[in-house]
Amino acid sequence: MTEVDTRELRYFIAVAEELHFGRAADRLGIAQPPLSRAIRRLEHRVGARLFDRTGRGVRLTAAGEVLLAEGRAALDAVSAAVRRARRAGRPRRSLTLVMKPGGDAGLLPAILAAYAARPGAAAVDLVFSQSERAAMLRDGRADVGLLHHPQNDLTGLDTEPLRTERRVAALAEGHPLAARATLSLADLAGEPMAQWPEAAERGNGPRVEEAGQMWQLVVLGRAVALVTESAAERPYRGVVYRPVTDAAPATLVLAWPAESRSRDVAEFTAAARAALAPALTGQT
Amino acid sequence: MTEVDTRELRYFIAVAEELHFGRAADRLGIAQPPLSRAIRRLEHRVGARLFDRTGRGVRLTAAGEVLLAEGRAALDAVSAAVRRARRAGRPRRSLTLVMKPGGDAGLLPAILAAYAARPGAAAVDLVFSQSERAAMLRDGRADVGLLHHPQNDLTGLDTEPLRTERRVAALAEGHPLAARATLSLADLAGEPMAQWPEAAERGNGPRVEEAGQMWQLVVLGRAVALVTESAAERPYRGVVYRPVTDAAPATLVLAWPAESRSRDVAEFTAAARAALAPALTGQT
DNA sequence: CGGGCCGATACCCTGACGGTATGACCGAGG
DNA sequence: CCTCGGTCATACCGTCAGGGTATCGGCCCG
């Protein structure tokens, strides 16, 4: 049986996401008929129908659902392979760390210092992303990252827990709930929660793409936000913080691709572990 | 920048393994010039030289080394995606478990029973492999497997430790070392150790592909073998077992692809964990 | 210095992939 | 029941990427 090519996977994923051949073709920059043929050929190679063609649009079959999830991972792996090889070709040895601005709970300086102190440490480049950190680790745009568990999907990543934090609600000073000392999730149920792009659109709050927007909306009382307690250590004028007692705590983790064979990544994670060992033992 | 497709990666891996364009082209079933062009194009896309062309043959550059390791993982991920989708297209729900014959330390019946008792459990197909178990998990030929740590490379796999076993030497009854109650690795240094294909050829012992061959050679005194103690629970006529005190213990682990999102795999591993929980706590 | 080995280049040709036009099917609405 | 819009499939054609053959250029070795 002939091999499946990355182009076919990209085509399939486009259709699976759009659930519409025409729109998918449009997005891919090709016409619809070649796309139909490509999907048909792919179905033949896989040996299973991937879509149910109903008169109106299409639906994924069970096999299609599997191929969508696994195919995305596979394409990420291909991208990662190329990106990492490209980086390895540059004379400068570097390690790319991705984080959310301010999302290090204050631990990053110690980690970077511990790593830099090691002989043969590579330069650490910092990049920032709100909602694509896990994806960037998976497709090779970053080597290590600071994520939150269980808020981020850590599938395919190895992790080292750094610190577990309680979650607090950020409210405008004048907000009625600000009068309470602690809150529960039920108290927040009716409130407009800031919606990050990563979340499926299910909430009733305003969409935000960037932390500054979120804080602005919170100050204005247009949104409330659920953040980690370390965020509350950097007070934001006009915002008060109230613990949410029944919100699952967030664990800040250092994450890297599970299949990583990079010596630099191993060194970095070891340095982070060593740097934080006292704090961790003190915590547990 | 244009996308890298799987064919280019396969071509690259063939050259990287053969370190010879002619032989690689032969193996790929194409002529050498198109292969040279494809590699050159790939180097251009990656943005780094992948090979040092020395007059005699070629050598991998640092970027090439990275692309070899990562590219193999990427191709495995693509194969896995297709295989798993194909399986999901079959009406019969099944889970493929790969193991070495006898390599379950007697734990498999309990695990299978515990899983089968769960509502909605899928059928479990057993397949056997001596040296390709990890590769089969990575490329989708199997869903879960019984491996040994640290003897197997578990990169890219998630694992659940099942049982840690000491390692014992299997010797012919009349072997001089059989007179000793315990052995050390130094004692075995000069002995012909059975060589599995998975090991790089560095030993001085006979090659074996299958356990029966190994035992035969051990009985005949032509080889000694280092095995886990559970193997000694099934005595083999004419073979005696002696603990090797300084050999690193082997941990039998249940392993599955790290990126696995399959509900059946999750159920199976949970069942295994639950089934063995008493034994594990008793052990620690 | 000559021969053999190995990768690169030149040139051609086939077929796979993409485009346009059109067909087939389904559901909605009158 | 027929029509119409929407959606995916089929037919047919052109182009170019990728594969083949022939040959060159450089390097090592005798």
Side-chain angles (χ1 to χ4, degrees), chain A residues 115 144 160 254-256 264-274:
Chain A
Y115 176 64
V144 291
E160 175 76 25
L254 183 66
W256 61 96
D264 288 335
V265 170
E267 277 283 314
F268 187 88
T269 58
R273 200 174 303 128

Side-chain angles (χ1 to χ4, degrees), chain A residues 207-231:
Chain A
R207 313 259 170 278
V208 298
E209 287 88 39
E210 188 256 321
Q213 299 174 11
M214 183 187 78
W215 293 116
Q216 188 65 64
L217 291 167
V218 169
V219 170
L220 296 174
R222 304 280 282 273
V224 301
L226 205 52
V227 301
T228 55
E229 59 187 331
S230 63

Side-chain angles (χ1 to χ4, degrees), chain B residues 32 35 42 48 51 55 88 104 123 143 155 158 187 205 213 215 236 240 247 270 273:
Chain B
Q32 169 260 320
L35 178 59
L42 177 62
F51 295 104
D104 69 333
D143 303 302
T155 309
D158 276 351
D187 295 325
Q213 299 173 11
W215 293 115
Y236 195 97
V240 298
R273 200 174 303 127

Side-chain angles (χ1 to χ4, degrees), chain B residues 54-99:
Chain B
T54 72
R56 271 296 184 276
V58 295
R59 279 199 343 252
L60 277 170
T61 62
E65 296 279 3
V66 169
L67 190 62
L68 178 56
E70 304 265 346
R72 279 174 171 148
L75 287 189
D76 282 344
V78 173
S79 302
V82 173
R83 262 188 263 263
R84 299 214 180 98
R86 181 173 300 143
R87 289 258 309 280
R90 312 271 180 241
R92 174 169 174 272
R93 270 181 52 241
S94 67
L95 208 54
T96 300
L97 184 147
V98 63
M99 60 183 297

